[in-house]
Amino acid sequence: MTTGWGAIVKIIIDTYDPLNRRVQMDESAYRHHIIAGHPEMQDELDAIRETVETPIVIYRSRKDTDIYIGERGWWVVVAVDFRYPEYGVIITAWGTNTEPPVKGATIWP
């Protein structure tokens, strides 16, 4: 995939959520934002992808971002921005040992 400026973007997650919406994450976002800010997500691409594909809940945050919550013996939270009509973009993800609260309108299940 290329950007409007001709730069090549390596997509490392390209999947669908339970609402059949396409969701992607590029390598730059993973390395420079997610891992940099949330080192617990190092080597956790499967946890991020599986949380999008099979979340416990999806809710719409106050910032119009969809938040996916999953559980793998620890909680995984993934934020997806659907500003593009064709797909959503994973903008961040983090892990926690405490069940995250739902702060917005539940959109799935």
Side-chain angles (χ1 to χ4, degrees):
M1 183 169 115
T2 60
T3 67
W5 298 284
I8 295 177
V9 176
K10 183 178 179 185
I11 301 299
I12 58 175
I13 291 179
D14 189 2
T15 192
Y16 288 84
D17 72 5
L19 299 170
N20 203 34
R21 300 179 299 176
R22 189 174 189 182
V23 176
Q24 297 182 336
M25 181 174 70
D26 67 61
E27 184 176 42
S28 179
Y30 182 62
R31 285 187 178 189
H32 302 294
H33 179 76
I34 295 174
I35 294 173
H38 308 284
E40 73 279 7
M41 298 310 291
Q42 177 76 38
D43 300 322
E44 294 294 349
L45 281 174
D46 287 342
I48 295 169
R49 181 183 44 76
E50 289 169 9
T51 298
V52 169
E53 292 173 350
T54 57
I56 293 170
V57 66
I58 305 171
Y59 70 89
R60 177 81 27 91
S61 77
R62 294 182 194 116
K63 297 180 182 182
D64 290 332
T65 302
D66 288 357
I67 306 298
Y68 296 67
I69 298 175
E71 197 271 327
R72 295 175 53 98
W74 50 284
W75 297 95
V76 180
V77 183
V78 179
V80 179
D81 183 343
F82 282 96
R83 76 178 72 186
Y84 305 108
E86 302 87 18
Y87 59 92
V89 176
I90 296 172
I91 56 174
T92 194
W94 65 95
T96 180
N97 290 322
T98 305
E99 183 175 358
V102 173
K103 296 181 180 179
T106 299
I107 59 174
W108 189 89

